[in-house]
Amino acid sequence: MIWNEEYETLPREEIRVLQLSRLQAIIERVYTLVPYYRAKMDEVGVKPSHIKALQNIRLLPFTTKEDLRKNYPFGLFTVPMDQVVRVHASSGTTGQPTVVGYTKRDIRTWAELMARTLTAAGARKGDIIHNAYGYGLFTGGLGAHYGAENLGATVVPISGGNSKRQITIMRDFGSTVLLSTPSYALNLADTMVEMGVDPKSLALHTGVFGAEPWSENMRLEIQKKLNIKAIDIYGLSEIIGPGVASECAAAQSGLHIFEDHFLPEIVHPETFEPLAPGEKGELVFTTLTKEAFPVIRYRTKDFSRLRYEPCVCGRTCVRMEKVTGRSDDMLIIRGVNVFPSQVEHVLVSIEGVEPHYMIVVDREGTLDTLEIQVEVSEHIFSDEVKQLETLGKKIRADIKDLLGVSCTVKLVEPKTIKRSEGKAQRVIDKRKI
Ligand code: DLL
């Protein structure tokens, strides 16, 4: 089923026509209303009238998190504050949070996009949606909440944390759809085992997961443990929150970007030159319809590629490949680029290893060291030392083979690695401390 048949299945040519007219309007809007954008455009000598075709977007300067910080908190808003009905903020691991704002219309747009997302994932009116994304300044909880209500489903606004209570409520209320980060979904699966609740006895059929990178193997693990279909959804606060792109239950392969609202580009992560369709690079988004806080060519730092081929679900909007990592998550270990999600992909494919791990990077003298701490299954941990040794060797060999970097492996007892209740923390980089 498709929530908005008209816009989600527009012929490609019509999408482009719509995008161009919306792009022209939004550029005019920021140029007229936001001194900071006007100054940046004037600096490179671009006027709104120069945007005559979609590819002219390349003339415009990028926007980065730094620009948002410089204008903290409300400096890039294009409406007076009495029209802003909501703000959210992303905590950010370093520096000031970035603040985003919404008008009434923006909130309606967002609820439409999240209704599209949930429908694509397989949720319907009549579903009981257990929303374990965090409520508060984070966009996940409330973003998904309004979408689920718009869909007509019953929302359980449980937010994150207190896992035992989550399971009890899921069981008692008959929740059918789980919304959470993928790492928290695993945490919930473990808690079910601890409580003696069989996931098969629950009514859950779908999980809608995002807000952090997760590997294909992690998807298989979650699907198996929770006995559900796991769908990947993508978004970021600066663009709207969740609701930028979503996988469809039909293909589970690539996330459809809602292109009538967002214009995606892929650029080379160092030269920032636009890359051809299919090439992998940094995702850049321009919002086409947002009122309070439009963003032009926002550099997400997320790596992906765009696929334009038709999808079995009938949606015509372009698909972005599952995001495997961010440029600022990328670890450079003895010159080799390593993403935590690649390590995860390797670990989760090995029998006897649990999907709970921590990557510790340090430096001895001038040499980087990589240690992978990972939990092993109960039956292996209590077994012979020899079996543990074999497992450690296998992990080291697979990491070396697939990622090209050597590491030490520390197998730890089940349940010793800190569990996530939202976005997981998987890396300790002592070189930076
Ligand atoms: O995490 C919005 C969101 C909430 C998306 C709930 C999906 C579900 P931020 O806190 O601003 O917003 O973080 C955005 O999270 O740039 C990516 O690096 C990462 N991210 C989000 N979704 C995915 C995903 C929300 N499906 C940042 N796969 C983004 C990989 C993701 N990374």
Side-chain angles (χ1 to χ4, degrees):
M1 211 182 121
I2 295 180
W3 178 255
N4 191 328
E5 194 77 45
E6 183 187 352
Y7 283 99
E8 291 180 77
T9 62
L10 270 184
R12 295 262 2 129
E13 195 35 50
E14 285 178 41
I15 293 182
R16 294 176 64 80
V17 171
L18 180 69
Q19 284 182 323
L20 178 59
S21 67
R22 290 185 168 177
L23 177 67
Q24 287 167 329
I26 212 84
I27 300 300
E28 184 72 49
R29 182 178 176 90
V30 298
Y31 189 81
T32 327
L33 297 173
V34 187
Y36 189 79
Y37 272 119
R38 185 162 56 241
K40 275 186 79 162
M41 283 172 62
D42 284 345
E43 212 171 285
V44 292
V46 190
K47 296 268 174 285
S49 59
H50 293 160
I51 308 300
K52 295 199 170 69
L54 276 182
Q55 64 265 32
N56 295 146
I57 195 171
R58 297 173 187 178
L59 302 170
L60 297 162
F62 292 103
T63 306
T64 62
K65 223 178 181 75
E66 206 36 53
D67 294 309
L68 269 54
R69 292 209 169 112
K70 277 188 200 149
N71 290 282
Y72 175 83
F74 308 138
L76 294 178
F77 290 6
T78 57
V79 295
M81 283 308 281
D82 68 358
Q83 289 183 43
V84 175
V85 298
R86 173 105 63 86
V87 291
H88 280 285
S90 86
S91 50
T93 38
T94 48
Q96 246 157 12
T98 47
V99 184
V100 298
Y102 305 77
T103 62
K104 275 191 182 173
R105 198 186 84 179
D106 292 333
I107 296 286
R108 275 201 302 276
T109 305
W110 197 10
E112 149 83 16
L113 295 172
M114 275 311 292
R116 288 188 194 179
T117 293
L118 293 167
T119 306
R124 302 285 178 267
K125 179 175 164 56
D127 269 311
I128 298 190
I129 298 190
H130 186 96
N131 186 11
Y133 284 119
Y135 280 65
L137 283 177
F138 174 55
T139 52
L142 282 167
H145 183 104
Y146 277 58
E149 284 188 352
N150 190 21
L151 180 69
T154 308
V155 195
V156 183
I158 187 128
S159 195
N162 203 344
S163 305
K164 288 207 169 106
R165 185 162 149 260
Q166 301 247 0
I167 310 296
T168 307
I169 292 214
M170 237 186 249
R171 187 190 53 201
D172 296 351
F173 293 10
S175 306
T176 53
V177 177
L178 168 64
L179 315 187
S180 74
T181 58
S183 56
Y184 192 52
L186 277 178
N187 186 345
L188 289 176
D190 284 357
T191 311
M192 283 179 199
V193 175
E194 257 169 51
M195 292 170 70
V197 172
D198 178 4
K200 290 204 180 79
S201 70
L202 301 177
L204 282 184
H205 59 75
T206 300
V208 185
F209 305 123
E212 64 186 8
W214 51 309
S215 62
E216 269 308 323
N217 281 337
M218 180 71 93
R219 186 209 303 268
L220 299 178
E221 184 84 15
I222 294 176
Q223 295 196 144
K224 193 171 75 192
K225 283 196 162 160
L226 285 174
N227 193 34
I228 56 173
K229 192 167 224 180
I231 299 291
D232 189 12
I233 67 166
Y234 170 87
L236 60 166
S237 320
E238 294 83 348
I239 300 305
I240 200 158
V244 175
S246 171
E247 273 182 349
C248 54
Q252 277 183 299
S253 164
L255 293 80
H256 292 281
I257 298 174
F258 300 117
E259 280 180 286
D260 46 333
H261 294 277
F262 310 109
L263 180 61
E265 296 172 81
I266 297 281
V267 301
H268 189 285
E270 277 144 29
T271 64
F272 310 124
E273 284 302 315
L275 295 177
E279 283 191 273
K280 190 160 190 157
E282 183 177 337
L283 254 177
V284 169
F285 282 106
T286 299
T287 65
L288 297 174
T289 53
K290 264 204 319 182
E291 278 184 339
F293 182 59
V295 189
I296 310 302
R297 301 195 86 197
Y298 186 71
R299 281 189 42 210
T300 63
K301 298 200 169 177
D302 292 321
F303 288 131
S304 184
R305 69 178 104 219
L306 298 178
R307 291 163 48 193
Y308 286 90
E309 73 263 18
C311 182
V312 286
C313 72
R315 288 176 185 78
T316 50
C317 29
V318 67
R319 278 179 283 173
M320 58 181 261
E321 188 177 76
K322 202 170 181 27
V323 169
T324 44
R326 294 172 55 81
S327 51
D328 50 7
D329 276 355
M330 187 175 77
L331 296 162
I332 305 181
I333 298 163
R334 297 189 293 273
V336 182
N337 299 348
V338 176
F339 285 103
S341 58
Q342 292 175 302
V343 173
E344 175 183 297
H345 190 77
V346 174
L347 292 177
V348 180
S349 68
I350 298 174
E351 185 59 37
V353 169
E354 292 293 311
H356 302 291
Y357 62 94
M358 186 64 83
I359 298 169
V360 185
V361 189
D362 206 347
R363 184 164 284 156
E364 272 169 26
T366 54
L367 214 59
D368 298 328
T369 59
L370 169 65
E371 180 183 84
I372 297 176
Q373 301 176 351
V374 60
E375 286 182 17
V376 292
S377 314
E378 196 83 56
H379 70 278
I380 297 207
F381 202 81
S382 49
D383 222 341
E384 297 171 45
V385 177
K386 198 147 169 252
Q387 205 175 341
L388 281 176
E389 270 174 16
T390 315
L391 189 59
K393 267 193 200 150
K394 162 117 184 94
I395 297 174
R396 267 202 308 279
D398 283 6
I399 294 276
K400 176 82 189 155
D401 272 2
L402 291 153
L403 308 185
V405 59
S406 39
C407 66
T408 55
V409 173
K410 189 169 162 194
L411 301 176
V412 300
E413 255 180 90
K415 304 196 179 61
T416 45
I417 288 183
K418 193 172 173 295
R419 295 294 186 263
S420 137
E421 293 194 339
K423 299 197 190 221
Q425 161 78 31
R426 310 253 199 223
V427 180
I428 302 174
D429 192 344
K430 294 187 175 164
R431 297 172 304 182
K432 286 186 203 145
I433 295 171

